[in-house]
Amino acid sequence: KLTAELHRCLTRPTAFEAVMRIRCTRGLKISQFHGHFFIRSTDLLALPNVDCDKAYAVQLEHEENVLTINNICIQCALLYTTSSGERRIRVHTIAVSVTPNLADLYKYADIDATLNLQARIAFEHGLVSKLEDARKMVQDQCIDALATYRTLCTTLSKAANQLIFPESLKHLPLYTLSLLKHPLFRPGEVPSDERMFLARQLSAMNATDAARFFYPRMYPIHKDMIHDDGGDSPSSSYHCVPLSQASLDPTGVFLLDDGMTIFVWVGNTVQPNLLLSLFQQPSVAHLHPEQMWLPQLENEVSQRVWLLIEQLRGKRGTWQAVHVVRQDDSTEAMTAFLLHLVEDKLASITTYQEFLTQIHRHIQMKL
């Protein structure tokens, strides 16, 4: 892990002594920045170094009540020094359509970007108040967003006894619950130094990595390892299953990736030929709980699994260690694995189905 992360840190393209300015069309203004930087002025950030593993979030707000134009532009200009000492400037400009229709706003919402910004804002709020206030903010934002959509963007009767989601935000309650159960926001036993470490990781994450950070992906590799369409993304060959113990088949092997660590869960009744292909062991009983690791073997099954692992590792700056856990283990790694199953009940925090019921009840009270 140290070797891989040090190599990436020393070899990735890095911009030094950088300053970044963000401009937007008249009628809008920048209200808040999130990330690692020093603010020199209202729209100028000082960045001692910046690379491909760093991401920044920016909040915009209206200066005028109504925008009368059809499009607005946002521009980011980065002035920096390369590793060879050359001074350069890089400019990105994006044009975004303006709509008076709130339904269009919901239609084109980005759930990953929403989760990333929501988590950053909530944790910063928790630093100046209480963790419970941050948790309440996350849940209230979910309720308000769905209640507004139901009130202003649907034609169904307000008395209809169902929870209505916009297609783009259909996973918003699930992501909200995963935020509440994450060590970053989970009350109780999480050490403060671990919580702050996770906060620092979040503050540099892009939207895709943050989605995996809060809601990990779990792949049933025993089912999908024979299918390969040649795609660059693991999701092109592997489908994900819900993060619940109900998804875990005792005859299967599952890989879980949270962006920081990779877990390989092995069921008690896995077929012997699959165990031989992955571990060179004839049965689960031969896997010692304190000495389990995933070897790289010269067979198709092992190579397919390791290809997935390398693809997952190659997408981010953090090199993920692989932990192998057996179904009935009581090890620390197994405990950590179970804490990622956010759709199940965790301590005082409800299951996903119970959480949906709570959200629905709060929305009904607002109507």
Side-chain angles (χ1 to χ4, degrees):
K1 180 177 175 66
L2 175 62
T3 301
E5 292 190 359
L6 185 60
H7 178 269
R8 183 176 179 89
C9 183
L10 295 177
T11 58
R12 66 191 174 192
T14 302
F16 299 97
E17 299 176 346
V19 290
M20 182 168 67
R21 170 166 273 132
I22 301 178
R23 306 178 180 92
C24 53
T25 300
R26 180 175 297 178
L28 296 174
K29 67 176 182 179
I30 299 169
S31 61
Q32 193 68 43
F33 296 97
H34 305 274
H36 295 168
F37 51 78
F38 175 79
I39 299 180
R40 285 191 177 177
S41 64
T42 55
D43 63 347
L44 184 66
L45 307 180
L47 312 173
N49 68 77
V50 61
D51 53 67
C52 58
D53 296 325
K54 305 296 186 297
Y56 303 88
V58 181
Q59 287 180 259
L60 303 178
E61 66 179 32
H62 289 263
E63 282 188 313
E64 302 172 2
N65 291 333
V66 179
L67 291 174
T68 57
I69 53 180
N70 294 326
N71 297 280
I72 60 101
C73 290
I74 304 170
Q75 185 179 83
C76 172
L78 181 72
L79 177 64
Y80 65 97
T81 302
T82 66
S83 56
S84 60
E86 184 179 9
R87 198 69 172 161
R88 295 179 180 177
I89 185 168
R90 176 175 291 186
V91 180
H92 295 274
T93 306
I94 183 173
V96 182
S97 298
V98 175
T99 177
N101 188 353
L102 189 60
D104 288 339
L105 184 65
Y106 277 95
K107 180 179 179 180
Y108 296 105
D110 186 320
I111 183 65
D112 290 348
T114 300
L115 174 69
N116 186 310
L117 188 59
Q118 182 183 36
R120 290 173 184 251
I121 295 173
F123 189 79
E124 291 173 6
H125 179 72
L127 290 177
V128 298
S129 57
K130 296 184 296 185
L131 183 63
E132 187 58 37
D133 293 337
R135 291 171 52 81
K136 186 176 185 303
M137 170 187 283
V138 169
Q139 185 165 326
D140 288 348
Q141 287 174 340
C142 175
I143 294 169
D144 291 343
L146 296 180
T148 300
Y149 176 77
R150 178 165 179 170
T151 303
L152 302 179
C153 304
T154 65
T155 57
L156 296 178
S157 170
K158 293 183 179 181
N161 189 27
Q162 56 183 311
L163 193 55
I164 304 171
F165 304 107
E167 180 62 26
S168 63
L169 298 178
K170 62 183 179 181
H171 296 308
L172 182 59
L174 180 58
Y175 278 10
T176 299
L177 181 62
S178 68
L179 275 179
L180 299 177
K181 291 187 176 182
H182 195 273
L184 199 57
F185 295 96
R186 190 168 68 235
E189 74 282 2
V190 182
S192 58
D193 55 346
E194 178 183 348
R195 205 185 300 271
M196 290 308 301
F197 166 75
L198 295 172
R200 301 308 291 175
Q201 293 292 314
L202 171 65
S203 62
M205 280 186 183
N206 61 42
T208 303
D209 288 351
R212 193 174 298 263
F213 181 63
F214 288 109
Y215 189 84
R217 304 300 187 258
M218 187 161 68
Y219 306 94
I221 55 179
H222 62 288
K223 291 183 178 180
D224 300 322
M225 60 181 59
I226 62 172
H227 302 293
D228 185 4
D229 62 3
D232 295 330
S233 171
S235 60
S236 64
S237 301
Y238 295 83
H239 75 276
C240 298
V241 296
L243 294 179
S244 169
Q245 292 198 50
S247 300
L248 299 175
D249 182 356
T251 65
V253 179
F254 294 78
L255 185 147
L256 185 145
D257 168 39
D258 69 352
M260 305 288 291
T261 307
I262 291 175
F263 295 91
V264 176
W265 183 93
V266 183
N268 284 336
T269 56
V270 177
Q271 295 181 359
N273 60 337
L274 181 56
L275 285 174
L276 286 171
S277 298
L278 290 176
F279 301 100
Q280 286 188 318
Q281 298 292 345
S283 70
V284 176
H286 288 78
L287 299 176
H288 192 280
E290 300 298 333
Q291 298 177 347
M292 286 193 296
W293 59 291
L294 187 65
Q296 291 183 266
L297 305 175
E298 296 297 326
N299 64 71
E300 183 181 358
V301 172
S302 179
Q303 290 173 358
R304 289 272 293 129
V305 172
W306 274 100
L307 175 62
L308 171 62
I309 292 173
E310 294 305 324
Q311 286 177 328
L312 294 173
R313 284 175 172 172
K315 290 180 176 296
R316 53 188 66 89
T318 301
W319 190 93
Q320 301 124 291
V322 178
H323 298 281
V324 179
V325 295
R326 299 185 307 181
Q327 181 176 350
D328 294 330
D329 282 349
S330 57
T331 61
E332 183 178 341
M334 185 60 175
T335 301
F337 172 83
L338 293 176
L339 289 175
H340 286 83
L341 304 183
V342 297
E343 297 189 36
D344 295 333
K345 186 176 180 63
L346 176 61
S348 60
I349 308 178
T350 62
T351 66
Y352 179 46
Q353 292 301 321
E354 293 171 340
F355 184 71
L356 283 177
T357 302
Q358 291 180 10
I359 293 294
H360 188 205
R361 184 170 63 250
H362 284 294
I363 291 174
Q364 291 287 77
M365 293 171 60
K366 285 180 170 288
L367 298 179

